[in-house]
C-alpha cells in the first residue's frame, strides 16, 4: 500500500485481458488527458494485443479512494524481472496517468511479483521514473498539427532539402519505371507478405536476429494487420511503381497519433529512394486523415533527422527492490558507466550495445511456463 499525498494507493496486478470495459475506458480517458501519452504504444490496445500472443503480459493498476489513477503495463519475464510489454517490439513504456503522478514503482514491482522492472524509452519527465533513469535518448517525429503544407514549409525554412529531393526522385521513377501510386491506411495482404519477406531478408543481410523466427512476433504482426485491437489500429501504407510493390510500412495508430513501426523497401531500386517516397507520401496522407503527430521511433537515421520537426526525451534504467536481480543490474550499469568514460568511442559504446543485445533476446524469448 502506497500513500500518494493523503490518499492510500492500492496496487494490484492483472493480465490486460482481465480488465473490464470500465477499466479499459478509464485507461483511454487517462491517456487522452495526457498529451505526452498520445503514442499508440501507451494504449490499452497494445497491451491487449501483446496479451493475445504472450502469457506474461501484466498490468499494475493503481487505485485510491477516488478510483483508478494509473496503469503500468509490463512483460513479466520471471519471478525476478519485468520489462516493457511487447519487448523488443515496444518503443515506449510509461505510467498511464492523467498527469505527472508520483508513485513508488518499487511497490508496483512487488505487486507484479518481480524484484526488478527494466525500462527503456520511458518519458523522462515522469516523476515516477526520473530517479531511476541511467541514460537518456532523443527521439524524432513530425508535428502535423498545422497540416502537411505547413510541415513542408517548416522543413524548407529550416534548410532541409528533403522535399525537393523527394520530388526529384519521384519524377525520375515515373520517367524511367512508370506511374507511382501510394495506398494508405487500407488492408494490403500482398503488401504485408512482401514487408515480412523484405524485413527477414534485411535482418539476414545485416546479420541481425530474425524477429519473425519467434512465433509470437509473427502472430502479433499478423493479428494487428487484420484490423483494430480495441483502440489500436493498423496503419498500412504501400508504394507501387507500375503496379510493382517497391516499399511497404505497417504502422500503429491511435486516434490522431501514428507511430512508424515496420518499414522496408526493394533494395534493387535504391536509386529511386522508394522508402523515402513512402515516408513523405505517408505523412501527407496521414495529415489529410486527421493525424497530428507521427513518431519515428527510436534510432537515429539520416532520413529521420532530415524529415523531423519535433523531438522528445526518453530515459533508460531500472527500478528495483533489494535482492540479487537488482544487485546484478546495478553492477552492469556501474561497469557500463566506467567503460563509457573511455576515450575511444568504439570501446565506450560496447557495454551499452551488449546490454541492449541481451535485453533484446530476453524480450524475444518465449514466455516462461
Amino acid at each position: 500500500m502506497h500513500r500518494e499525498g493523503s490518499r492510500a494507493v492500492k496496487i494490484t496486478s492483472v493480465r490486460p485481458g482481465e480488465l473490464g470495459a470500465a477499466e479499459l475506458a478509464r485507461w483511454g480517458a487517462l491517456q487522452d488527458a495526457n498529451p505526452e501519452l498520445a503514442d499508440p504504444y501507451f494504449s490499452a490496445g497494445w497491451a491487449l494485443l501483446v496479451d493475445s500472443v504472450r502469457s506474461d503480459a501484466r498490468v499494475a493498476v493503481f487505485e485510491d479512494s477516488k478510483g483508478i489513477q494509473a496503469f503500468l503495463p509490463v512483460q513479466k519475464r520471471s519471478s525476478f524481472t519485468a520489462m516493457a510489454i511487447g519487448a523488443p517490439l515496444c518503443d515506449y513504456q510509461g505510467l498511464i496517468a492523467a498527469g505527472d503522478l508520483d508513485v513508488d514503482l518499487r511497490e508496483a514491482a512487488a505487486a507484479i511479483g518481480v524484484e526488478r522492472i527494466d525500462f527503456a524509452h520511458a518519458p523522462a519527465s515522469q516523476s515516477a521514473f526520473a530517479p531511476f533513469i541511467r541514460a537518456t535518448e532523443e527521439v524524432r517525429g513530425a508535428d502535423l498539427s498545422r497540416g502537411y503544407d505547413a510541415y513542408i514549409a517548416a522543413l524548407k525554412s529550416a534548410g532541409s532539402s528533403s522535399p525537393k529531393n523527394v520530388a526529384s526522385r519521384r519524377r525520375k521513377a515515373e520517367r524511367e519505371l512508370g506511374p507511382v501510386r501510394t495506398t494508405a491506411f487500407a488492408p494490403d495482404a500482398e503488401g504485408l507478405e512482401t514487408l515480412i519477406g523484405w524485413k527477414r531478408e534485411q535482418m539476414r543481410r545485416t546479420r541481425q536476429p530474425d524477429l519473425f523466427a519467434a512465433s509470437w512476433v509473427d502472430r502479433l504482426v499478423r493479428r494487428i494487420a487484420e484490423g483494430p485491437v480495441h483502440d489500436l489500429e493498423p496503419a498500412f501504407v504501400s508504394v507501387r511503381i507500375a503496379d510493382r510493390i517497391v516499399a511497404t510500412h505497417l504502422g500503429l495508430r491511435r486516434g490522431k497519433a501514428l507511430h512508424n513501426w515496420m518499414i522496408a523497401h526493394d533494395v534493387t531500386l535504391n536509386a529511386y529512394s522508394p522508402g523515402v517516397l513512402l515516408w513523405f507520401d505517408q505523412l501527407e496522407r496521414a495529415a489529410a486523415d486527421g493525424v497530428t503527430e507521427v513518431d519515428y521511433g527510436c534510432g537515429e537515421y539520416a532520413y529521420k533527422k532530415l524529415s523531423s520537426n519535433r523531438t522528445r526525451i526518453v530515459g533508460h534504467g531500472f527500478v528495483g527492490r533489494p535482492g540479487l536481480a537488482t544487485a546484478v543490474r546495478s553492477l552492469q550499469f556501474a561497469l557500463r558507466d566506467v567503460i563509457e568514460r573511455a576515450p575511444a568511442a568504439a570501446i565506450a559504446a560496447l557495454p551499452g550495445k551488449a546490454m541492449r543485445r541481451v535485453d533484446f533476446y530476453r524480450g524475444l524469448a518465449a514466455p516462461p511456463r
Side-chain angles (χ1 to χ4, degrees), residues 9 16 183 202 208 267:
V9 178
T183 303
Q202 177 188 31
Q208 298 297 314
V267 296

Side-chain angles (χ1 to χ4, degrees), residues 4-23:
E4 169 68 18
S6 60
R7 303 196 306 273
V9 178
K10 175 186 176 184
I11 308 174
T12 56
S13 174
V14 299
R15 287 188 61 164
E18 295 172 343
L19 296 171
E23 293 162 314

